[in-house]
Amino acid sequence: MTVTKEPTASVGTAPAERSLTGSLGVTSIVLMVVAAAAPLTVIGGSAPLGILLGNGVGFPSMFVVAAIVLLFFAVGLAAMTRHVPKPGAFFTFVNYGLGKPAGLATAFLALLTYTTIQVAVYGYVGYILSVTLTGLGAPDLPWYLYALAAVALVGFLGYRHIDLSSKVLGVLLLGEVGVVLALVVAVVVNGGPEGLSMAPFEPNNVLTGSPAIGLMFAIAAFIGFESTAIFRDEAKDPGRTIPRATYVAVIGIGVFYTLASWALVMAWGPSGVVAQAAENPGAMILITTLAYLGPIGQVVMNVLLITSMFACVLSFHNVITRYQHSMSNARVLPDFLGRVHTKHSAPHLSSIVQTGTAGILIVVFAVLGLDPVLQVFTWLSGVATLSIAILMAVTSIAVVVYFARTKQDRRLWNTVIAPVLGLLGLLGAAVLIATNFPFLVGDVDADGAPVFGVVSAVLLGLVVIFPLGGLVQALILKRTNRVAYDQITDAIGG
């Protein structure tokens, strides 16, 4: 059960509760971060789009590539967690490794990453709820009303004790993993229309179509596993709990996604899966479930697909509110965001702000008339994925620099080799995603060649503007408030 420390005074305000503590174990933290990865949402939402827009039959192989690259990254992340006893993850580690300006740039890019992926999923959950409830005879309401209702419910849970969120996420996660495994078993037993094969992993299939777009969707599916470090202050024995939770999360997610997406390809056969994805990517998982598990299985899958998306946005809500909490304690966001509720032991004001942010963005997208799946979900997933690849690459550099300077950990594999391998993979992924970004948003010419049009420019511009804003803030603080600037690193974590 989470408790609070004694009140500590913040700069320029009356004393207020600002510290988060708790006793979350490996299981609780893994449940939270895997729920953020949203296994069923990935298989139901990202996988069909990865097959359709990416490398078709070879898409499952992208999960293997992503898992290997991210596992290298996780090695350095775990080493840093043991020696930097602060929450904040990317923000904190880059701060310690590369300095305050780079740390603040990273912090604002992280806020963009987690906010865009959360709102992307809100768009998808709004669509699914609208389609499902209308099919059951409910009034035909627009997707954004259901999305706003989800925002409100997530805001309520995020305001309260994190143990409540952990319990809710645990129950929902077990349900969604169970139904996907049931579908995998059904496909294996049935054999599929073309039999079982390893076609998704054959080189000619892996390299077909647009592997870069496929890799983008694969990396996006892992977003959230790295947030284990954000829960450091609420973890039991964080020196052991956080590294273990990180490894369990990335390996477990990788194996699950690879198996489930392979089964999805086998369910329609290598020659038919792309056509099925093109017919209705948003409902592909439900149609597949109906074919292999029958009407009851489809109903269960539909319900759990909705709860999976809900679990995802709830988990990201908790991540963002704690990121804002850490940044507030570092004196780079408004002071009130760092306060902790005396009863619920949660950063409640940060939760309210994040709820408002998500709600406003949903309203903006509704006014613009954007499609909740092919535009809101797909476009914002692209922004989040490019951002997370850059964040992880910069963090890998910070890990190498930090240990080279401090000599606190002399294990070559953990502090140099693995982080550098992860860095190379992440930089390659970032370049591929940025280069192929126009394909994702439909900015192509008459011949289908990518063109960096208005939509591409705006979305990619966000990835530049947010970290630039953090960098500028750091330079301004250094000139105008040197005391606050010097206290940034020490203030992280309260």
Side-chain angles (χ1 to χ4, degrees), residues 114-141:
Y114 294 127
T115 299
T116 50
I117 196 64
Q118 184 191 39
V119 176
V121 178
Y122 273 130
Y124 207 110
V125 75
Y127 163 78
I128 290 293
L129 281 170
S130 177
V131 170
T132 300
L133 296 179
T134 300
L136 294 175
D140 187 7
L141 299 177

Side-chain angles (χ1 to χ4, degrees), residues 155-165 318 322 343-348 351:
F156 170 77
L157 290 172
Y159 184 92
R160 302 177 67 83
H161 208 294
I162 195 171
D163 283 352
L164 176 60
S165 293
N318 285 329
R322 280 151 183 80
K343 177 181 178 182
H344 299 304
S345 302
H348 57 302
S351 176

Side-chain angles (χ1 to χ4, degrees), residues 101 104 468-485 488:
L104 283 186
L468 185 60
L471 182 63
V472 169
Q473 183 187 27
L475 296 178
I476 291 175
L477 270 179
K478 188 174 183 179
R479 277 191 162 201
T480 62
N481 192 343
R482 188 60 192 235
V483 173
Y485 179 82
I488 286 177

Side-chain angles (χ1 to χ4, degrees), residues 247-270:
Y247 288 132
V248 170
V250 69
I251 293 172
I253 290 170
V255 171
F256 181 85
Y257 286 161
T258 303
L259 175 64
S261 58
W262 169 82
L264 191 62
V265 173
M266 294 300 103
W268 297 100

